[in-house]
Amino acid sequence: MKVLGLETSCDETGIAIYDTDQGLLAHKIYTQVAQHAEYGGVVPELASRDHIQKTLPLIEETLKAADLTKQDLDAIAFTSGPGLVGALMAGATIARSLAYALNIPALGVHHMEGHLLAPMLEEKQPQMPFVALLVSGGHTQLVRVDGIGEYKLLGESLDDAAGEAFDKAAKMIGLPYPGGPYIAKLATQGNPDAGIQFPRPMTDRPGLNFSFSGLKTAFLTAVHDALDRDGFNDQFQADVALAFEQAIVDTLVIKCRRALEQEGLTQLIIAGGVSANKRLQQQLQIQLAKVGGSVFYARPEFCTDNGAMIAFAGAQRLLAGQSSPLNLSIRARWPLAELDPITEGTK
């Protein structure tokens, strides 16, 4: 089965074709980052318009790269939530119209299930059950995964997501949007002995929830203190970026270890934009190895939003006989635990 995947939940237009026999055949991504950077964040109306302009040309490019025509497609998967309403509607309308014209099934895919399953596109894959850390600009969640659609929420952020905290901290010291990669790059020049200390929030109490708003406030306080003493210079920026990155990474690692111990599991996957952070990947590998655990993650282009993860996730459900009606509504909010499990037909 050849599945066309469309991802338009936010500010990336991602298109891919996944073959259930041959694997990923082709994928294309167009990012709107430069367009939104001057506003310091995603402007929903601009995102929607850009998806409308870019989706069909990217579909044609992806088909050409896979040496296929539209008539070779067996099904279409598209992101139906969660995400920006206008952006989701753009992709869903194109996907459902194309499926209707080709007389093939279409399936609305949960955006975070796509992220969760993205590591399955790699040669090195975990075996279920495992714990997943979904960490991005909009989500920070720990989920127990017993099968596709069999998800148990273990913990989540009570306020800012980790990626959102990175973006806001970057803005405080004048770095471009999105801030996470810029903080990480700047942190490589930081001095770990500079004496800047940030809390590891909610690690001193039981439970698996997160909170990053206080950490963000501590970062702002450190910046104001540096400004007051005329110490806000290039080296301070690097040092405070390093201390902030270390605090977020340490917090995530502590909670991941705790989740694995609580669930009696040894395998962890990390997914979402922040999963591309090298310090997070390295620290999880080091710390989990100490307790006999292992970590899995997708290649960098599949950590952020992309069509491949939607095509793959959709293919698993399409193989199980699922599809969506043409009048399917998109959902700006959609708890992962509401998804139906599939137990047969996955490949």
Side-chain angles (χ1 to χ4, degrees):
M1 177 186 290
K2 294 179 178 62
V3 180
L4 174 69
L6 279 65
E7 156 57 25
T8 64
S9 66
C10 191
D11 59 344
E12 267 93 26
T13 307
I15 310 296
I17 299 172
Y18 180 82
D19 189 312
T20 54
D21 292 322
Q22 302 178 56
L24 186 64
L25 301 183
H27 71 98
K28 299 286 182 181
I29 299 175
Y30 174 81
T31 180
Q32 304 173 7
V33 165
Q35 184 175 354
H36 297 287
E38 62 179 298
Y39 302 101
V42 177
V43 181
E45 179 65 21
L46 295 180
S48 304
R49 292 179 182 180
D50 212 53
H51 287 307
I52 292 170
Q53 294 174 342
K54 299 297 192 303
T55 300
L56 286 174
L58 274 181
I59 290 174
E60 294 295 340
E61 288 183 29
T62 308
L63 285 167
K64 184 177 180 180
D67 195 24
L68 298 173
T69 67
K70 293 185 183 73
Q71 286 67 35
D72 295 316
L73 299 173
D74 298 300
I76 299 177
F78 60 95
T79 304
S80 57
L84 302 176
V85 170
L88 291 168
M89 191 173 295
T93 302
I94 291 171
R96 289 182 294 180
S97 300
L98 186 56
Y100 181 79
L102 295 172
N103 194 28
I104 57 177
L107 178 75
V109 173
H110 193 292
H111 178 75
M112 295 312 296
E113 181 171 64
H115 275 304
L116 189 153
L117 297 178
M120 299 298 190
L121 290 163
E122 306 302 330
E123 184 175 347
K124 179 186 175 185
Q125 301 177 2
Q127 298 297 314
M128 298 178 188
F130 55 74
V131 170
L133 171 66
L134 304 177
V135 57
S136 65
H139 298 82
T140 302
Q141 298 178 330
L142 280 165
V143 180
R144 180 187 170 106
V145 179
D146 288 294
I148 296 177
E150 299 179 65
Y151 307 130
K152 176 186 175 184
L153 180 64
L154 304 176
E156 62 185 338
S157 179
L158 304 179
D159 40 61
D160 292 354
E164 183 181 4
F166 272 125
D167 289 342
K168 291 179 177 177
K171 187 175 183 179
M172 293 177 198
I173 56 175
L175 296 179
Y177 170 86
Y182 290 99
I183 288 276
K185 183 177 180 181
L186 188 58
T188 62
Q189 305 167 37
N191 177 8
D193 299 318
I196 302 174
Q197 295 293 326
F198 290 126
R200 275 56 175 166
M202 298 186 71
T203 58
D204 60 348
R205 67 191 75 175
L208 296 172
N209 286 331
F210 303 88
S211 173
F212 295 106
S213 63
L215 180 58
K216 180 185 63 181
T217 301
F219 184 92
L220 180 61
T221 300
V223 170
H224 283 168
D225 288 347
L227 289 169
D228 289 343
R229 66 174 190 272
D230 293 326
F232 189 85
N233 51 37
D234 290 346
Q235 189 57 52
F236 168 79
Q237 287 180 282
D239 294 343
V240 77
L242 173 60
F244 189 74
E245 183 186 47
Q246 287 177 324
I248 289 184
V249 167
D250 287 351
T251 301
L252 294 173
V253 171
I254 290 168
K255 295 289 182 143
C256 286
R257 280 191 57 170
R258 189 178 293 178
L260 289 173
E261 291 169 2
Q262 173 184 299
E263 298 302 309
L265 300 175
T266 60
Q267 296 181 104
L268 175 84
I269 71 117
I270 54 174
V274 180
S275 69
N277 182 280
K278 295 300 182 185
R279 187 180 304 277
L280 177 60
Q281 293 176 1
Q282 293 166 359
Q283 287 303 308
L284 281 171
Q285 288 172 343
I286 293 169
Q287 296 303 321
L288 295 189
K290 294 179 180 179
V291 293
S294 52
V295 61
F296 302 81
Y297 45 84
R299 70 195 80 167
E301 64 262 40
F302 294 158
C303 290
T304 53
D305 294 350
N306 64 90
M309 68 182 193
I310 300 303
F312 178 81
Q316 310 315 303
R317 291 185 173 275
L318 286 158
L319 280 173
Q322 297 184 13
S323 62
S324 301
L326 287 176
N327 63 349
L328 173 75
S329 298
I330 52 92
R331 298 180 62 175
R333 298 183 181 275
W334 189 2
L336 195 61
E338 290 184 3
L339 291 177
D340 294 328
I342 57 175
T343 57
E344 297 179 0
T346 61
K347 186 174 182 179

PDB file of all heavy atoms in Angstrom, residues 175-193:
ATOM      1  N   LEU A 175      17.925  36.297  20.636  1.00  0.00           N
ATOM      2  CA  LEU A 175      18.169  35.274  19.618  1.00  0.00           C
ATOM      3  C   LEU A 175      16.940  35.134  18.728  1.00  0.00           C
ATOM      4  O   LEU A 175      15.821  35.403  19.147  1.00  0.00           O
ATOM      5  CB  LEU A 175      18.488  33.931  20.270  1.00  0.00           C
ATOM      6  CG  LEU A 175      19.777  33.878  21.104  1.00  0.00           C
ATOM      7  CD1 LEU A 175      19.946  32.495  21.711  1.00  0.00           C
ATOM      8  CD2 LEU A 175      20.996  34.233  20.251  1.00  0.00           C
ATOM      9  N   PRO A 176      17.127  34.687  17.484  1.00  0.00           N
ATOM     10  CA  PRO A 176      15.997  34.556  16.545  1.00  0.00           C
ATOM     11  C   PRO A 176      15.040  33.438  16.941  1.00  0.00           C
ATOM     12  O   PRO A 176      15.338  32.590  17.778  1.00  0.00           O
ATOM     13  CB  PRO A 176      16.678  34.243  15.196  1.00  0.00           C
ATOM     14  CG  PRO A 176      18.117  34.616  15.374  1.00  0.00           C
ATOM     15  CD  PRO A 176      18.420  34.402  16.821  1.00  0.00           C
ATOM     16  N   TYR A 177      13.893  33.460  16.287  1.00  0.00           N
ATOM     17  CA  TYR A 177      12.889  32.391  16.421  1.00  0.00           C
ATOM     18  C   TYR A 177      13.095  31.394  15.289  1.00  0.00           C
ATOM     19  O   TYR A 177      13.420  31.801  14.164  1.00  0.00           O
ATOM     20  CB  TYR A 177      11.482  32.996  16.335  1.00  0.00           C
ATOM     21  CG  TYR A 177      10.385  31.959  16.233  1.00  0.00           C
ATOM     22  CD1 TYR A 177       9.840  31.389  17.363  1.00  0.00           C
ATOM     23  CD2 TYR A 177       9.938  31.534  14.976  1.00  0.00           C
ATOM     24  CE1 TYR A 177       8.848  30.427  17.264  1.00  0.00           C
ATOM     25  CE2 TYR A 177       8.956  30.569  14.873  1.00  0.00           C
ATOM     26  CZ  TYR A 177       8.419  30.020  16.018  1.00  0.00           C
ATOM     27  OH  TYR A 177       7.457  29.063  15.909  1.00  0.00           O
ATOM     28  N   PRO A 178      12.904  30.076  15.529  1.00  0.00           N
ATOM     29  CA  PRO A 178      12.652  29.428  16.813  1.00  0.00           C
ATOM     30  C   PRO A 178      13.926  29.314  17.645  1.00  0.00           C
ATOM     31  O   PRO A 178      15.011  29.075  17.100  1.00  0.00           O
ATOM     32  CB  PRO A 178      12.119  28.055  16.405  1.00  0.00           C
ATOM     33  CG  PRO A 178      12.745  27.786  15.080  1.00  0.00           C
ATOM     34  CD  PRO A 178      12.875  29.126  14.399  1.00  0.00           C
ATOM     35  N   GLY A 179      13.788  29.483  18.947  1.00  0.00           N
ATOM     36  CA  GLY A 179      14.951  29.685  19.789  1.00  0.00           C
ATOM     37  C   GLY A 179      15.743  28.462  20.166  1.00  0.00           C
ATOM     38  O   GLY A 179      16.937  28.569  20.469  1.00  0.00           O
ATOM     39  N   GLY A 180      15.118  27.275  20.194  1.00  0.00           N
ATOM     40  CA  GLY A 180      15.799  26.078  20.673  1.00  0.00           C
ATOM     41  C   GLY A 180      17.147  25.812  20.011  1.00  0.00           C
ATOM     42  O   GLY A 180      18.163  25.666  20.705  1.00  0.00           O
ATOM     43  N   PRO A 181      17.204  25.744  18.678  1.00  0.00           N
ATOM     44  CA  PRO A 181      18.489  25.482  18.030  1.00  0.00           C
ATOM     45  C   PRO A 181      19.526  26.573  18.297  1.00  0.00           C
ATOM     46  O   PRO A 181      20.725  26.279  18.391  1.00  0.00           O
ATOM     47  CB  PRO A 181      18.119  25.431  16.536  1.00  0.00           C
ATOM     48  CG  PRO A 181      16.671  25.071  16.522  1.00  0.00           C
ATOM     49  CD  PRO A 181      16.085  25.734  17.728  1.00  0.00           C
ATOM     50  N   TYR A 182      19.089  27.823  18.443  1.00  0.00           N
ATOM     51  CA  TYR A 182      20.026  28.916  18.703  1.00  0.00           C
ATOM     52  C   TYR A 182      20.566  28.841  20.127  1.00  0.00           C
ATOM     53  O   TYR A 182      21.759  29.101  20.364  1.00  0.00           O
ATOM     54  CB  TYR A 182      19.347  30.262  18.457  1.00  0.00           C
ATOM     55  CG  TYR A 182      19.058  30.528  16.997  1.00  0.00           C
ATOM     56  CD1 TYR A 182      17.788  30.315  16.465  1.00  0.00           C
ATOM     57  CD2 TYR A 182      20.067  30.979  16.136  1.00  0.00           C
ATOM     58  CE1 TYR A 182      17.518  30.543  15.122  1.00  0.00           C
ATOM     59  CE2 TYR A 182      19.800  31.210  14.793  1.00  0.00           C
ATOM     60  CZ  TYR A 182      18.531  30.992  14.293  1.00  0.00           C
ATOM     61  OH  TYR A 182      18.275  31.217  12.962  1.00  0.00           O
ATOM     62  N   ILE A 183      19.712  28.505  21.086  1.00  0.00           N
ATOM     63  CA  ILE A 183      20.179  28.305  22.458  1.00  0.00           C
ATOM     64  C   ILE A 183      21.208  27.178  22.493  1.00  0.00           C
ATOM     65  O   ILE A 183      22.264  27.294  23.132  1.00  0.00           O
ATOM     66  CB  ILE A 183      19.001  27.975  23.394  1.00  0.00           C
ATOM     67  CG1 ILE A 183      18.131  29.208  23.631  1.00  0.00           C
ATOM     68  CG2 ILE A 183      19.500  27.393  24.713  1.00  0.00           C
ATOM     69  CD1 ILE A 183      18.594  30.143  24.704  1.00  0.00           C
ATOM     70  N   ALA A 184      20.907  26.064  21.811  1.00  0.00           N
ATOM     71  CA  ALA A 184      21.808  24.910  21.814  1.00  0.00           C
ATOM     72  C   ALA A 184      23.158  25.259  21.190  1.00  0.00           C
ATOM     73  O   ALA A 184      24.209  24.854  21.695  1.00  0.00           O
ATOM     74  CB  ALA A 184      21.159  23.744  21.070  1.00  0.00           C
ATOM     75  N   LYS A 185      23.134  26.007  20.102  1.00  0.00           N
ATOM     76  CA  LYS A 185      24.388  26.397  19.445  1.00  0.00           C
ATOM     77  C   LYS A 185      25.198  27.325  20.325  1.00  0.00           C
ATOM     78  O   LYS A 185      26.417  27.172  20.467  1.00  0.00           O
ATOM     79  CB  LYS A 185      24.076  27.062  18.103  1.00  0.00           C
ATOM     80  CG  LYS A 185      25.320  27.450  17.307  1.00  0.00           C
ATOM     81  CD  LYS A 185      24.944  28.049  15.961  1.00  0.00           C
ATOM     82  CE  LYS A 185      26.187  28.428  15.165  1.00  0.00           C
ATOM     83  NZ  LYS A 185      25.840  29.025  13.852  1.00  0.00           N
ATOM     84  N   LEU A 186      24.530  28.304  20.928  1.00  0.00           N
ATOM     85  CA  LEU A 186      25.217  29.251  21.797  1.00  0.00           C
ATOM     86  C   LEU A 186      25.773  28.558  23.024  1.00  0.00           C
ATOM     87  O   LEU A 186      26.860  28.898  23.529  1.00  0.00           O
ATOM     88  CB  LEU A 186      24.256  30.368  22.201  1.00  0.00           C
ATOM     89  CG  LEU A 186      24.822  31.570  22.948  1.00  0.00           C
ATOM     90  CD1 LEU A 186      25.913  32.258  22.127  1.00  0.00           C
ATOM     91  CD2 LEU A 186      23.706  32.552  23.285  1.00  0.00           C
ATOM     92  N   ALA A 187      25.059  27.544  23.530  1.00  0.00           N
ATOM     93  CA  ALA A 187      25.481  26.829  24.735  1.00  0.00           C
ATOM     94  C   ALA A 187      26.817  26.119  24.561  1.00  0.00           C
ATOM     95  O   ALA A 187      27.536  25.899  25.541  1.00  0.00           O
ATOM     96  CB  ALA A 187      24.403  25.831  25.146  1.00  0.00           C
ATOM     97  N   THR A 188      27.162  25.768  23.331  1.00  0.00           N
ATOM     98  CA  THR A 188      28.444  25.080  23.089  1.00  0.00           C
ATOM     99  C   THR A 188      29.628  25.972  23.430  1.00  0.00           C
ATOM    100  O   THR A 188      30.745  25.485  23.626  1.00  0.00           O
ATOM    101  CB  THR A 188      28.562  24.617  21.627  1.00  0.00           C
ATOM    102  OG1 THR A 188      28.523  25.766  20.753  1.00  0.00           O
ATOM    103  CG2 THR A 188      27.417  23.684  21.257  1.00  0.00           C
ATOM    104  N   GLN A 189      29.403  27.289  23.502  1.00  0.00           N
ATOM    105  CA  GLN A 189      30.474  28.236  23.837  1.00  0.00           C
ATOM    106  C   GLN A 189      30.438  28.648  25.309  1.00  0.00           C
ATOM    107  O   GLN A 189      31.227  29.468  25.760  1.00  0.00           O
ATOM    108  CB  GLN A 189      30.348  29.483  22.963  1.00  0.00           C
ATOM    109  CG  GLN A 189      30.329  29.198  21.473  1.00  0.00           C
ATOM    110  CD  GLN A 189      29.890  30.415  20.656  1.00  0.00           C
ATOM    111  OE1 GLN A 189      30.228  31.542  20.987  1.00  0.00           O
ATOM    112  NE2 GLN A 189      29.136  30.179  19.591  1.00  0.00           N
ATOM    113  N   GLY A 190      29.479  28.094  26.065  1.00  0.00           N
ATOM    114  CA  GLY A 190      29.316  28.473  27.451  1.00  0.00           C
ATOM    115  C   GLY A 190      30.316  27.799  28.373  1.00  0.00           C
ATOM    116  O   GLY A 190      30.853  26.728  28.080  1.00  0.00           O
ATOM    117  N   ASN A 191      30.532  28.434  29.525  1.00  0.00           N
ATOM    118  CA  ASN A 191      31.441  27.921  30.549  1.00  0.00           C
ATOM    119  C   ASN A 191      30.615  27.253  31.642  1.00  0.00           C
ATOM    120  O   ASN A 191      29.853  27.928  32.342  1.00  0.00           O
ATOM    121  CB  ASN A 191      32.267  29.071  31.136  1.00  0.00           C
ATOM    122  CG  ASN A 191      33.179  28.609  32.267  1.00  0.00           C
ATOM    123  OD1 ASN A 191      33.323  27.420  32.537  1.00  0.00           O
ATOM    124  ND2 ASN A 191      33.797  29.571  32.933  1.00  0.00           N
ATOM    125  N   PRO A 192      30.761  25.951  31.826  1.00  0.00           N
ATOM    126  CA  PRO A 192      29.949  25.264  32.843  1.00  0.00           C
ATOM    127  C   PRO A 192      30.296  25.697  34.266  1.00  0.00           C
ATOM    128  O   PRO A 192      29.534  25.417  35.196  1.00  0.00           O
ATOM    129  CB  PRO A 192      30.267  23.786  32.613  1.00  0.00           C
ATOM    130  CG  PRO A 192      31.593  23.780  31.923  1.00  0.00           C
ATOM    131  CD  PRO A 192      31.630  25.016  31.089  1.00  0.00           C
ATOM    132  N   ASP A 193      31.437  26.347  34.450  1.00  0.00           N
ATOM    133  CA  ASP A 193      31.851  26.802  35.781  1.00  0.00           C
ATOM    134  C   ASP A 193      31.595  28.290  35.976  1.00  0.00           C
ATOM    135  O   ASP A 193      32.197  28.926  36.855  1.00  0.00           O
ATOM    136  CB  ASP A 193      33.343  26.508  35.989  1.00  0.00           C
ATOM    137  CG  ASP A 193      33.654  25.021  35.912  1.00  0.00           C
ATOM    138  OD1 ASP A 193      32.866  24.231  36.481  1.00  0.00           O
ATOM    139  OD2 ASP A 193      34.659  24.646  35.278  1.00  0.00           O
TER     140      ASP A 193
END
